[in-house]
Amino acid sequence: MKRNAINIVFLFLLFFLACCTKENEEFVCYIEPYPDAYDYPIKPGTPEWENLQSSDEMDSVLQIPENILLIISTEGLIETVLNYPGFGNLYFSEDLQSAFEGMTGRFNGFQELLQRNDAAKKLMDRYLMMYPGCKNNNWPSINEPGSSISFSFAYIEILLAQYPILNQLDSVLIKLLHDEATRKYSDKKHYDHSVFSKKHTVLIEARIMYLKKYPPFIEEYNKNDYVKIFIERVNLLDDFGTLELINNYSEKYKNQ
């Protein structure tokens, strides 16, 4: 498994050198979508979508056909899920975790991804290729070139932070994911990412430290309701200092 981790890092370095260029002190990163990703035929902006009368109808037309679910690669499935037109509806809720679980119950793409035994590894491969300095585009841009980098990160990070995904990783890979999230948080601060973007990165850090029972963090979790609610509901309760607090523990965990 150590060889696996080294290969992932090497892949990231090769991709970064090949696909990121510096232009006006901003990185521009973009590649084409994965070839077998599913393209939703009815989605917001199409005439058929305008005729839908209820959220149940919308959920129905956004399901991935079963015959495609049987053959789509995990990479293609991830691309499809990240481009799920209903993904943004998560952010109408103050309890993001419950909203995610509810959305999983309504969308077969989430269900399929969370049960694939290589989902965590493939999500990590993709995450390692992403860089917070790609201000104009990120790999991959969600929906279209030029779309929001904050959502590009938020969507994949909320997936990586789910316990069924984290529990697929062995001790080497889960530490690699934690350390990568910690680096990305530092980069997001450097490139002035929003709190919205940064909190998803910190969620990965926090849940990994919680799963691994890192003693100083568990002590903080047990006495700090802001930390507990953030881990359980992904809600900061407007206490933005919680992000820095958790990240400080992450820096110590990263270096141990």
Side-chain angles (χ1 to χ4, degrees), residues 33 58 65 78 109 115 144 171 173 183 244:
M58 295 174 187
I78 290 170
Q115 70 182 12
E144 61 185 13
S171 59
L173 289 179
R183 281 188 288 272
E244 280 295 306

Side-chain angles (χ1 to χ4, degrees), residues 93-107:
S93 173
E94 293 185 354
D95 186 340
L96 190 57
Q97 183 58 39
S98 293
F100 181 87
E101 292 166 3
M103 189 172 286
T104 298
R106 298 191 302 274
F107 176 47

Side-chain angles (χ1 to χ4, degrees), residues 36-47:
D36 72 338
Y38 176 66
D39 184 18
Y40 303 89
I42 301 175
K43 53 192 169 188
T46 63

Side-chain angles (χ1 to χ4, degrees), residues 4-232:
N4 242 345
I6 292 170
N7 287 341
I8 291 173
V9 174
F10 183 64
L11 177 64
F12 164 66
L13 291 173
L14 284 179
F15 179 89
F16 182 80
L17 290 172
C19 300
C20 288
T21 61
K22 197 162 188 179
E23 179 179 293
N24 298 324
E25 298 191 358
E26 289 186 352
F27 288 93
V28 180
C29 307
Y30 182 72
I31 67 168
E32 292 300 314
Y34 207 81
D36 72 338
Y38 176 66
D39 184 18
Y40 303 89
I42 301 175
K43 53 192 169 188
T46 63
E48 295 88 347
W49 184 267
E50 301 305 318
N51 294 326
L52 300 177
Q53 301 296 314
S54 69
S55 58
D56 286 343
E57 289 182 344
M58 295 174 187
D59 287 339
S60 178
V61 300
L62 292 176
Q63 301 304 305
I64 304 169
E66 289 297 324
N67 63 315
I68 292 177
L69 277 179
L70 289 173
I71 62 172
I72 192 171
S73 66
T74 301
E75 294 92 340
L77 180 60
I78 290 170
E79 184 87 36
T80 302
V81 166
L82 291 175
N83 282 285
Y84 173 56
F87 215 142
N89 293 336
L90 283 179
Y91 300 101
F92 292 118
S93 173
E94 293 185 354
D95 186 340
L96 190 57
Q97 183 58 39
S98 293
F100 181 87
E101 292 166 3
M103 189 172 286
T104 298
R106 298 191 302 274
F107 176 47
N108 62 357
F110 284 138
Q111 296 164 21
E112 176 68 17
L113 182 61
L114 291 174
Q115 70 182 12
R116 291 209 176 180
N117 58 18
D118 62 344
K121 172 64 167 54
K122 300 299 185 182
L123 281 164
M124 271 191 69
D125 288 347
R126 193 182 190 101
Y127 188 55
L128 286 164
M129 294 179 187
M130 298 171 70
Y131 181 60
C134 297
K135 290 295 185 71
N136 293 341
N137 285 301
N138 196 40
W139 191 86
S141 280
I142 300 302
N143 298 321
E144 61 185 13
S147 58
S148 169
I149 188 173
S150 292
F151 280 99
S152 293
F153 271 102
Y155 289 0
I156 193 166
E157 287 176 331
I158 195 67
L159 285 165
L160 278 165
Q162 298 307 305
Y163 291 120
I165 296 296
L166 294 176
N167 284 328
Q168 286 186 11
L169 298 172
D170 64 25
S171 59
V172 173
L173 289 179
I174 201 167
K175 185 64 164 57
L176 176 64
L177 175 59
H178 171 273
D179 294 354
E180 181 63 22
T182 303
R183 281 188 288 272
K184 279 181 167 50
Y185 182 77
S186 177
D187 288 336
K188 285 186 178 188
K189 287 172 62 178
H190 176 75
Y191 287 105
D192 296 322
H193 279 236
S194 65
V195 169
F196 169 81
S197 176
K198 290 186 286 189
K199 78 174 182 179
H200 292 78
T201 317
V202 172
L203 182 64
I204 295 173
E205 296 177 312
R207 286 188 172 171
I208 289 175
M209 290 189 292
Y210 178 77
L211 272 179
K212 302 306 289 184
K213 301 189 184 304
Y214 178 47
F217 184 69
I218 295 299
E219 183 179 346
E220 184 70 42
Y221 172 88
N222 287 333
K223 70 182 182 183
N224 189 327
D225 286 340
Y226 285 105
V227 171
K228 184 177 295 186
I229 290 170
F230 176 67
I231 289 177
E232 293 175 356

